[in-house]
Structure formats: C-alpha cells, structure tokens
C-alpha cells in the first residue's frame, strides 16, 4: 500500500506483488537510503519485485517516488532520461536532462527508480546521475540492472552507493521456509537447507520447486539433497529454455564451461580455447545460467548445482565424450595443485573411477578431516564392485555411505596375536589393514557396541608400532586423524586414561602437520576428559591450547567444538560460574541425532539444571534426550553411567527418594560415579551406615575420578556425623577441602546437605573453600518402604483381586488383609484402591503400566 502524504508515480501494482514474500534482510539494505542504490542480477531474480514490494510496504516514507520502466525499443541514455522526465510530467523533447529533472524535482525529497536496464547501461548513465545527485541533494536514485555491473561498481567510486547483487537476492533456507509456509506447503526442517543448496537459492528455481511441491505434495529433494524426479524434470525444462535463448556461439561455449563447477576467465579459456571468454561468461550470467562473485579480486562464475546437472546432462547427450574429457582435465589440474577433494569430485563426475579411487586412497586422512561431505559424495558415486582393489576405500564406503549396513568387509577378521600384528605391520598390506580395522571399530562404535569397538581399537597398537618402525611414511600422515578416532572410541566407553594418551599423541601430530581440525579436536576432547573426571586445572590447560588453534570450518566445523564446549561448561559449573556455563550450554543446544558426544552434552545440561535448582526441567529434558539416543545408550556406554548417576541426583533434589532408589537399583553400581549417587540415596534416606559401607568398597585415591573422590569424602563426612563419629567426619572434611582446592572445585560442596555442612564447618573450623554455598539437595529425602507382605498385598490389589481372594492366596484372615491395607494406605498417604495403585506405580513400588 502507498504511504500517505507521498506521491508514488508509476510504481507497479502487479498481481504477484500481493503475494510476494517480504524480505527484511534485503529491505534493510534498501533502507540505508544511499544516494545511489543498484539492484543488479540476471532476469528472474526478482529485482523489480523486490523494489516494488519494499515501496508498497513503506519504503522511503514521506518521499515522492517516480518509477521509470525501461523502453523496450531503445535503451540509450537519452531515451532513458526522456522517459524519466515524461514520468515526472515534463514532456519537453529538447534540453539538458539534468536541468529538466532538477527543475521538476526541485527540493522535494524524492526517489527516482530506473527499472529494467541492461547491465551495461549504468556506465553511460553514471555521469548524468552524478550531476543530478549534486544538483538535487534531496533526490536519491535506484537502478535495476539485468546482469553484472563490475565496471559500474568501479566507476561509482566516491558516491554513496548500495549494491544489491544476485548473491544477495538468492533465497536463504529461512526465506525459503517462509515462502513455502506462506503458500501452505510444509517441509521437514532440514529440507529447506537441502533445497537451497541444490538450487543455489535462485529465486526462479525456488519458485519452481514450490510449484512442484504444491502439485505433487512430496518433498522436492530426497534424503541426499538431490532434486526429486518431478523437480528434476522442471529444472531440465527451465535449463532447456535458457539454452534456447543463447546464440550458437554462446551455446557451444556453455556446453564446455559446464564441466567446471566454478571458474574464472583464465580457466574458461583453457576449457574452450576462446582468447577472451569473460564477455561470454557475462552473457551466460545475464541469461541466468551462471552467478558471478564480484567479491573476489579475480571474478569467478559458478553454476547452481541442480541447474548445472541439467545442462551437464544435455551436454552429454550432444557430445558424450567431450564433457567427460574436460572434467578429467579438471581433476588432473586440481590433483596436481594439491586439492584432492575437488580433484576427486571431478574424477567421479567424469566416471574415471580409477582416478577417483586413487585420489581418495592417497588423500584419505585429509578428506575425512577437512572434506568429509565431499568424500561421502565421491564414495557414493564410485561403483562398489570397482573398489575390490581398494579395500580401505571400500571400508570407508561401507561405513559412510551404507551407514553400517551388513557389509562383508566390516566382518573381515584382524589377527589377535601381537606377534602376528607386528609381522603384518612390516608388510605391504599394513596400511589397508589399519584403515579397515579403524573403520570396523568406528562401525561398532556408531552402532552402539562400544565395548567391542574399544576391543577392536585396542588390538591395533602392535600393528601401529610395527608400521612406525618399518614403514613410517605409510602411516605418519594419517596417524593423527586415526588416533583422534581411537581416542573418541575409548572416551565413549569411559577408558579415559587411554583416551587421553591417544588425544595427546594426535595433538602433537596435528601440530607438527599444521592440521587445525586435528589440533582443535584433540585439545577440546582432552579438556572434556579432564573435565569429566573433575580435574579443572588440566581441563583449562587443554582449553587454552584449543583456544589458540585456528577454528575449523566446513560441515564438521561445529562438531569438533562440542568436546571443548562441554569441557568449558563443566569447568565453569565446578567453579560455580553459572553465567559462563550457561553461555556454553546455549552454544551446545540440544544434541543432534548424529552427535556422538550427545551423552556429555546431556550431562552438562542436567548438571546445570541440578545446580540452578531446576531439577524437574532437567529431568524432563534428560528423559527426552535419552529416548532420542537410545541406540547409543546401551551397556558399556559412558553415557549410561553419567546420566544414570545424574538422574538419581535429580530425583533426590526433587525429594523423590523411591524413584532415586529405583533408578539406582536398575544399574550395576561398580563405577565410582554411580557409587557416589547410590550412597547419597542412602544418606539422604536416613541410612548413613549403608552409605558409609558402600563408600568404603572403593579405593578412591586410585579410582581415576577425583571429582567422585571429592564427593565421596564429603558424603562420608556427613555419614560419620550421623553415625556419631565426629572425629572421622572432620578428617574426611579436611581431606575434601584440601582436594577441592587442588581441583579448583566448589560445586562439590553444593552436594552436602546444609545441616551437615554447617556442623562440619563449625566442628573443624575450616570453611568451604572460596566461600559459602547453598545445597542442591534437601537435608533428608523421605522414602516410602513397604514390608515384603505389604508388597504382596499391593501386587494382588493391582491385579484386581478382592480382599477375600487376597486373604485366600496369602493364607491369612480377611482382617489381617484389612490391617495390611490400612498400613499401605497410611504409608502411601492415600484413601482408595485406585489411589494406592497409582501412587505405588509413581514410587516404583509396582511396575509402571507396560513395564515387565
């Protein structure tokens, strides 16, 4: 709609504007109010629609607007300025256009829009625009150009300019989602990003995808981000239409340069033999086939992925061998320049399987660490039967492409005897066996079989030592990456000492090879290990090393930061710096389905909830997260230990003694972390003797978990007070305070009930290091306990048996059953059979409905 008080002459009112998507990101660029705004992109990018939508939505409030459409028959500067004068009501044919425009516009704040001009027009118009802007300071000019404006950008130097390019006009995943939802089409949250990547965000292709989705009611892209068959047909038709608008010269040129995903003028000359290809590239860009990147010092043009695929298919139909030859040439070019990822992609596209497999085999470590997305693409493309001569590559394909399907190569056996492995390490097959065994251990790990994965990894050590001795060149480049993977396997099964050893070796190797991905991953993950055991000083040292590393980018750039972020969150929690911990936890967010460190992320979230007295929210979040990662939460997983202990503590914080005991009884309580939580249930439930006995079964100084040792000392001190042993309690308290100062841990003292902590401070004369804290647990947790006979009565009651039947089955009198029922109702604080059964299930005194 128009803005009151301002004239809007000639602003289009096309029907499509009523449903056009507002684009605040671009409106903000237009709202800068620059003296000159240039919107430049090929046809179909929505340049005019953008400006018109912006103006109808309230752009340049209080200003007059004059919209001048380009003449279809004459795009010369004289004709453009004459049209502008005519739109403003000045129909004089002769005279200087600047004088005429200046006299017409006067001092009125105005915006002059010149729409639909060819990309080269701005060069000729700029002198007059400069004069007009100098003569009329209250006037701004906006120009819509079809195509590139590189020379104009240079010529406009010195002016207050805003340039909105084809790159800016591309749709983002968020804008794509808004467009689809406005049209009543809903996709999966990840599909919008996949669609944008496949279509390059090109507005006309995004619009076409929306039409396909409306018509066929299916996802426009598949699980691998490729266009659906219906969308592919639409894109092929679109591409064919664009190709038909080209001259014979332009079409032949396009059929050559389509071999390259992106290119500059020099590469285009190599591919086509044309001495001056930049003009032809600009013409293809003006038609909407290519997108130019003006930001680089050297101009580069790129193909949107789906559009290139359609043109590539057309080129193959016309000249089957030509385009494959050009892509093989590009593969060699990138391979020789040390760019294996790009080389492998071109080799795979050219169906040169020997070259593609060879590049992957030689550059496996680099591609996994820095180009995993590309590696998966290439592995998916190469036919499986071709890889029989490349066992390491075939193993990678089985893992990354088939996602641990029942692939024979993953069942290949590795010698178990160290002597056999040592001999194998000196032979020609050592590297293949090493990579294969690593992939096998990864397969087991990803499948949730952490114990076997760790066993498989542990057996590799003799092989590695032999290779380092006999053929170091065949292992040294890949070893840091392999060690990171081995270390993660040990980390997930709680073998933290071995995990730390492998991470440290990987870190040193990554520093020596200058591989930021390895260095950051190893440093952050080492910090996580030390944070998990509770050694804050060592965790911080590794976090400092991580912080000095160049950040990793790409698909897994965020993933390698997870370990460090969890470590930082836990160290901040131990220091009771809740604000800093919250910042890290916010960065972590909820762990994705693919996140292997999900259990540690969940642990940090839950520990934060416990410390901030949000136990109920923490418990709800924990249950939801565990349910979403059940396949990674089996026996042997460290997550099982950490999250079970945390769930016990959250129940205790809520006063749910029965639920805490039920959870504790479900899990073997051998790990120090679980022993602490189990003993805490007894202490808070009024059984300090049981708590002390359980704590005495562990050799705490040797357990490898100093935080658990610290909490055990505090628990034992509280238990000894309740048992009437103040001297023993003071000894435990003094040791705990000393250990806490060494570890930099204040959070452990929040686990001591307030009544115990106050008495321990008073009796020992030693205050909590760093100042007083508040307990996260109540002084005591009431737990409902039923006698064995009462449990029998309750179970029969839940089965629907009447009192007379219960008496008969238990060989007692009906009065005895009534007495036992009264006792059960009193303990459960209920009054009816239904309330008793419901409450008993809540307290885990009866199985929950559906449980066995």
């Amino acid at each position: 709609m128009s803005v009151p008080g301002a004239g809007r002459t000639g602003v289009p009112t096309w029907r499509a504007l009523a449903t056009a998507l507002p684009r605040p990101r671009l409106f903000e660029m237009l709202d800068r109010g620059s003296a000159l705004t240039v919107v430049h992109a090929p046809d179909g990018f929505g340049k005019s629609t953008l400006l018109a939508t912006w103006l109808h939505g309230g752009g340049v409030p209080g200003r007059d607007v004059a919209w001048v459409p380009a003449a279809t028959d004459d795009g010369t500067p004289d004709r453009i300025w004459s049209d502008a004068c005519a739109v403003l009501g000045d129909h004089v044919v002769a005279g200087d256009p600047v004088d005429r425009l200046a006299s017409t516009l006067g001092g009125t704040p105005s915006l002059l829009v010149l729409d639909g001009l060819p990309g080269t027009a701005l060069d000729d118009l700029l002198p007059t625009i400069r004069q007009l802007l100098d003569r009329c300071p209250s006037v701004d000019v906006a120009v819509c150009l079809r195509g590139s404006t590189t020379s104009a950008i240079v010529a406009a130097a010195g002016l207050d300019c805003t340039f909105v390019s084809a790159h800016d006009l591309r749709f983002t995943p968020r804008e794509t989602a808004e467009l689809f939802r406005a049209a009543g089409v809903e996709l999966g949250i990840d599909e919008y990003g996949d669609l944008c990547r496949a279509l390059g965000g090109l507005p006309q292709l995004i619009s076409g995808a929306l039409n396909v989705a409306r018509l066929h009611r299916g996802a426009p892209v598949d699980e691998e981000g490729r266009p659906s068959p219906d969308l592919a047909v639409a894109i092929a038709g679109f591409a064919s239409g664009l190709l038909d608008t080209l001259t014979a010269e332009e079409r032949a040129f396009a059929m050559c340069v389509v071999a390259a995903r992106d290119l500059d003028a020099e590469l285009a000359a190599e591919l086509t033999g044309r001495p001056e290809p930049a003009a032809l590239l600009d013409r293809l860009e003006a038609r909407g086939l290519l997108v130019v990147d003006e930001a680089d010092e050297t101009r580069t043009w790129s193909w949107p992925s789906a559009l290139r695929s359609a043109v590539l298919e057309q080129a193959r139909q016309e000249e089957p061998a030509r385009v494959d030859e050009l892509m093989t040439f590009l593969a060699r070019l990138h391979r020789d320049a040390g760019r294996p990822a790009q080389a492998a992609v071109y080799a795979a596209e050219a169906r040169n399987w020997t070259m593609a497999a060879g590049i992957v085999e030689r550059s496996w470590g680099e591609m996994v660490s820095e180009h995993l997305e590309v590696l998966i693409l290439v592995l998916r493309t190469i036919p499986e039967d071709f890889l029989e001569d490349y066992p390491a590559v075939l193993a990678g394909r089985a893992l990354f492409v088939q996602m641990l399907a029942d692939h024979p190569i993953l069942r290949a056996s590795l010698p178990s005897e160290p002597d056999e492995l040592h001999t194998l390490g000196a032979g020609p097959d050592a590297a293949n066996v090493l990579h294969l065994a690593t992939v096998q251990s990864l397969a087991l790990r990803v499948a949730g079989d952490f114990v076997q994965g760790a066993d498989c990894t542990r057996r590799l050590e003799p092989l590695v030592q032999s290779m380092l001795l006999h053929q170091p060149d065949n292992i040294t480049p890949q070893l840091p990456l392999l060690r990171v993977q081995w270390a993660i396997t040990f980390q997930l099964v709680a073998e933290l000492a071995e995990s730390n050893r492998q991470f440290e070796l990987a870190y040193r190797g990554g520093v020596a090879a200058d591989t930021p991905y390895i260095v950051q991953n190893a440093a952050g993950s080492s910090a996580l290990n030390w944070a998990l055991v509770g050694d804050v000083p060592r965790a911080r040292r590794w976090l400092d090393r991580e912080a000095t590393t160049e950040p990793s980018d790409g698909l897994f750039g965020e993933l390698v930061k997870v370990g460090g972020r969890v470590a930082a969150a836990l160290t901040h929690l131990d220091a009771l710096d809740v604000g800093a911990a919250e910042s890290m936890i916010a960065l972590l967010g909820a762990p994705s389905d693919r996140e292997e460190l999900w259990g540690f992320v969940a642990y940090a979230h839950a520990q934060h909830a416990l410390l901030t007295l949000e136990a109920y929210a923490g418990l709800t979040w924990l249950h939801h997260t565990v349910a979403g990662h059940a396949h990674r939460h089996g026996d042997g997983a460290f997550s099982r230990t950490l999250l079970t202990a945390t769930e016990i503590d959250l129940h205790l914080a809520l006063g749910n003694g029965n639920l805490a005991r039920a959870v504790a009884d479900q899990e073997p309580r051998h790990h120090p972390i679980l022993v602490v939580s189990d003993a805490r249930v007894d202490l808070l439930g009024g059984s300090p003797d049981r708590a002390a006995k359980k704590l005495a079964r562990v050799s705490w100084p040797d357990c490898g978990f100093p935080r658990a040792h610290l909490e055990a000392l505090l628990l034992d001190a509280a238990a000894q007070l309740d048992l009437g042993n103040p001297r023993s309690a003071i000894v435990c308290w003094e040791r705990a305070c000393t250990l806490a100062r060494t570890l930099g841990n204040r959070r452990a003292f929040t686990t001591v009930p307030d009544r115990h902590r106050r008495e321990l401070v008073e009796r020992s004369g030693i205050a909590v290091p760093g100042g007083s804290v508040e307990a996260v647990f109540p002084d005591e947790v009431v737990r409902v306990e039923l006698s064995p006979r009462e449990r029998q009565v309750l179970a029969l009651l839940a089965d629907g048996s009447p009192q007379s039947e219960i008496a008969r089955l238990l060989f007692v009198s009906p009065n005895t059953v009534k007495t036992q029922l009264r006792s059960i109702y009193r303990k459960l604080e209920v009054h009816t059979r239904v309330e008793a059964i419901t409450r008993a299930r809540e307290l885990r005194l009866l199985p929950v409905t559906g449980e066995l």
Side-chain angles (χ1 to χ4, degrees), residues 350-627:
R351 299 163 187 171
N352 190 331
W353 310 129
T354 301
M355 176 182 282
I359 292 170
V360 169
E361 186 177 52
R362 286 190 298 273
S363 307
W364 177 262
E366 178 182 342
M367 293 186 71
V368 169
S369 64
E370 299 180 18
H371 306 284
L372 185 55
E373 197 171 17
V374 174
L375 175 62
I376 292 172
L377 171 67
V378 174
L379 291 173
R380 183 180 290 122
T381 305
I382 301 174
E384 183 174 335
D385 55 4
F386 183 83
L387 292 176
E388 292 179 0
D389 294 332
Y390 301 89
V393 180
L394 184 59
R397 189 180 192 280
L399 174 65
F400 293 123
V401 176
Q402 295 178 278
M403 296 310 294
L404 312 178
D406 187 20
H407 197 288
I409 199 165
L410 296 181
R411 298 195 299 272
S413 60
L414 181 72
S416 57
E417 293 299 323
D419 290 344
E420 291 182 69
L421 288 164
H422 191 82
T423 301
L424 183 60
D429 295 330
N432 281 336
V433 171
L434 179 65
H435 286 95
L436 174 59
T438 299
V439 169
Q440 287 176 324
S441 69
L442 289 176
L444 292 165
R445 185 177 92 198
V446 174
D449 194 342
F450 300 108
V451 174
Q452 283 198 46
D455 287 344
C456 181
T457 302
R458 201 176 294 108
R459 286 159 53 195
L460 294 175
E461 189 64 27
L463 178 65
V464 171
Q465 295 304 320
S466 179
M467 290 185 69
L468 286 172
L469 179 65
H470 296 100
Q471 44 181 319
D473 292 343
N474 287 336
I475 187 176
T476 302
Q478 296 86 10
L479 194 53
L481 172 65
L482 296 178
R483 288 198 187 280
V484 164
Q485 294 303 323
W486 302 338
I488 293 173
T489 298
F490 289 124
Q491 183 182 57
L492 293 174
V493 81
E495 294 187 24
L496 299 188
E498 181 59 22
S499 177
N500 279 333
R501 187 177 78 86
Q502 295 293 348
F503 275 134
E504 181 154 2
L505 291 170
Y507 176 82
R508 293 176 185 173
V511 170
D514 191 21
T515 311
Y517 170 92
I518 302 296
V519 174
Q520 186 175 29
N521 202 338
S525 297
S526 291
L528 173 58
N529 283 347
W530 290 112
L532 289 169
V533 303
D535 193 328
V536 174
R538 287 185 179 176
R540 285 179 173 162
R541 281 199 291 272
W542 280 106
L543 285 172
D544 289 342
R545 294 175 182 177
E546 182 197 35
T548 60
T549 306
E550 179 183 346
S552 299
D553 297 318
L555 176 66
F556 287 88
E558 287 299 304
L559 292 184
V560 302
K561 300 172 186 174
V562 171
R565 286 173 178 171
V566 176
L570 293 176
T571 55
H572 289 315
L573 288 174
D574 282 346
L576 297 186
D577 189 347
V578 177
E582 285 177 349
S583 298
M584 282 296 141
I585 289 172
L587 283 175
L588 286 166
S592 70
D593 292 342
R594 295 181 294 180
E595 176 54 69
E596 286 197 284
L597 304 186
W598 73 273
F600 305 132
V601 177
Y603 178 67
H605 273 274
Q607 291 295 322
H608 173 262
L610 181 65
L611 182 61
T612 55
L613 307 181
E614 296 287 343
Y616 183 79
L619 196 61
T620 303
W621 192 92
L622 185 63
H623 287 163
H624 176 76
T625 305
V626 169

Side-chain angles (χ1 to χ4, degrees), residues 171-177 187-201 206 221-222 225 373:
F171 272 77
T172 65
R174 180 175 180 177
E175 289 170 334
T176 303
L187 303 181
I189 191 167
D190 294 331
E191 290 180 292
Y192 298 112
D194 293 339
L195 186 62
C196 273
R197 281 188 290 275
L199 305 184
I206 296 291
V221 291
D222 62 19
E373 197 171 17

Side-chain angles (χ1 to χ4, degrees), residues 69-418:
T72 56
D73 58 341
D74 185 2
T76 62
D78 289 343
R79 178 57 187 270
I80 293 168
W81 293 121
S82 295
D83 289 345
C85 292
V87 167
L88 292 168
D90 180 358
H91 298 283
V92 178
V93 176
D96 181 71
V98 174
D99 292 335
R100 293 165 58 197
L101 288 169
S103 63
T104 303
L105 294 169
T108 305
S110 308
L111 174 67
L112 180 63
V113 180
L114 306 179
D115 181 34
L117 304 182
T120 56
L122 190 58
D123 291 337
D124 297 328
L125 293 175
L126 266 174
T128 306
I129 290 175
R130 283 181 180 275
Q131 294 178 46
L132 178 62
L133 295 176
D134 288 341
R135 291 274 298 277
C136 303
S138 62
V139 174
D140 295 336
V141 177
V143 182
C144 275
L145 297 175
R146 302 190 305 272
S148 175
T149 64
T150 305
S151 59
I153 291 175
V154 176
L159 281 177
D160 173 22
C161 296
T162 292
F163 287 91
V164 182
S165 67
H167 178 79
D168 298 318
L169 288 164
R170 295 184 193 184
F171 272 77
T172 65
R174 180 175 180 177
E175 289 170 334
T176 303
E178 291 173 355
L179 179 68
F180 273 59
R181 287 166 183 161
V185 178
E186 189 71 37
L187 303 181
I189 191 167
D190 294 331
E191 290 180 292
Y192 298 112
D194 293 339
L195 186 62
C196 273
R197 281 188 290 275
L199 305 184
L202 297 188
Q204 63 272 52
L205 292 184
I206 296 291
S207 177
L210 175 58
N211 291 333
V212 169
R214 275 173 166 166
L215 182 63
H216 298 283
R217 290 296 174 185
V221 291
D222 62 19
E223 294 179 354
E224 296 174 358
R226 296 176 301 194
S228 68
D230 294 319
L231 180 55
V233 169
I235 294 170
F238 175 78
S240 180
L242 290 180
L243 291 173
D244 288 344
T245 66
L246 303 179
T247 65
E249 178 190 29
E250 292 168 346
R251 184 184 179 89
F253 181 80
M255 292 303 179
C256 286
V257 296
V258 73
R261 291 170 172 258
D262 50 68
L263 70 167
D264 56 19
E266 183 180 351
L267 181 57
E270 289 190 69
L271 293 173
T272 65
R274 299 289 302 231
E276 296 182 1
L280 282 168
L281 289 168
D282 277 335
R283 278 146 65 182
L284 295 185
E285 187 255 338
R287 297 290 186 183
L289 285 163
L290 295 174
V291 178
V292 67
D293 185 353
E294 305 282 4
D296 290 346
E297 294 182 8
T298 302
R299 294 179 75 211
T300 58
W301 291 259
S302 61
W303 291 86
S305 173
L307 187 57
R308 175 175 177 262
S309 295
V311 177
L312 201 58
E313 184 61 30
Q314 186 69 31
R316 279 201 167 106
Q317 291 177 12
E318 295 179 9
E319 289 189 81
R322 175 64 173 155
V323 71
D324 288 340
E325 291 174 0
L326 291 173
M327 287 191 290
T328 298
F329 164 76
L330 289 168
R332 293 195 188 97
L333 197 68
H334 284 287
R335 182 194 62 191
D336 296 343
R339 296 186 290 268
Q342 296 94 316
V345 168
Y346 281 121
E349 284 189 324
R351 299 163 187 171
N352 190 331
W353 310 129
T354 301
M355 176 182 282
I359 292 170
V360 169
E361 186 177 52
R362 286 190 298 273
S363 307
W364 177 262
E366 178 182 342
M367 293 186 71
V368 169
S369 64
E370 299 180 18
H371 306 284
L372 185 55
E373 197 171 17
V374 174
L375 175 62
I376 292 172
L377 171 67
V378 174
L379 291 173
R380 183 180 290 122
T381 305
I382 301 174
E384 183 174 335
D385 55 4
F386 183 83
L387 292 176
E388 292 179 0
D389 294 332
Y390 301 89
V393 180
L394 184 59
R397 189 180 192 280
L399 174 65
F400 293 123
V401 176
Q402 295 178 278
M403 296 310 294
L404 312 178
D406 187 20
H407 197 288
I409 199 165
L410 296 181
R411 298 195 299 272
S413 60
L414 181 72
S416 57
E417 293 299 323

Side-chain angles (χ1 to χ4, degrees), residues 592-817:
S592 70
D593 292 342
R594 295 181 294 180
E595 176 54 69
E596 286 197 284
L597 304 186
W598 73 273
F600 305 132
V601 177
Y603 178 67
H605 273 274
Q607 291 295 322
H608 173 262
L610 181 65
L611 182 61
T612 55
L613 307 181
E614 296 287 343
Y616 183 79
L619 196 61
T620 303
W621 192 92
L622 185 63
H623 287 163
H624 176 76
T625 305
V626 169
H629 297 80
H631 63 294
R632 298 179 186 270
H633 196 55
D635 293 338
F638 193 16
S639 65
R640 188 80 169 259
T641 297
L642 287 173
L643 300 185
T644 298
T646 303
E647 184 178 6
I648 294 169
D649 286 345
L650 289 168
H651 279 304
L652 288 174
L654 291 170
N656 298 332
N658 283 76
L659 297 183
R661 171 49 59 206
V663 174
D665 289 345
Q666 289 173 2
E667 196 73 17
R669 296 177 295 281
H670 306 307
H671 196 283
I673 291 175
L674 278 170
V675 170
V676 166
S677 293
D678 184 33
R680 185 176 288 124
V681 177
D682 290 323
L683 175 71
L684 299 182
S687 300
D689 54 334
R690 291 184 194 171
K693 287 178 182 178
K694 289 176 180 178
L695 294 171
R697 295 172 189 163
V698 179
S699 176
W700 293 102
D702 304 319
C703 75
F705 287 84
R707 180 190 285 113
H709 182 193
L710 173 58
E711 291 191 25
L713 285 169
L714 293 171
L715 271 173
D716 203 12
Q720 295 303 325
L721 280 183
D722 287 349
L723 292 170
N725 301 320
R727 290 188 178 181
S728 297
I730 291 171
V731 170
C732 290
W733 177 259
E734 290 174 343
R735 290 176 179 172
C737 290
T738 300
L739 181 58
R741 294 188 191 95
T742 301
L743 297 178
N745 188 313
R746 298 188 65 234
R747 178 161 62 110
F749 291 92
T750 67
T751 67
V752 184
D754 286 333
R755 68 179 181 88
H756 292 106
R757 189 180 62 257
R758 285 193 294 268
E759 184 174 353
L760 287 164
V761 170
E762 183 179 348
R763 285 180 177 273
S764 68
I766 302 173
V768 173
S772 182
V773 298
E774 296 295 326
V776 298
F777 300 113
D779 286 346
E780 61 179 356
V781 175
V782 176
R783 183 172 155 222
V784 177
E785 294 192 72
L786 301 179
S787 68
R789 178 50 62 93
E790 287 172 339
R791 285 179 176 270
Q792 288 179 314
V793 171
L794 186 62
L796 291 169
L797 195 71
D799 287 340
S801 302
Q803 291 185 26
S804 59
E805 179 67 9
I806 294 174
R808 187 185 69 79
L809 291 171
L810 297 180
F811 303 102
V812 296
S813 69
N815 286 334
T816 300
V817 172

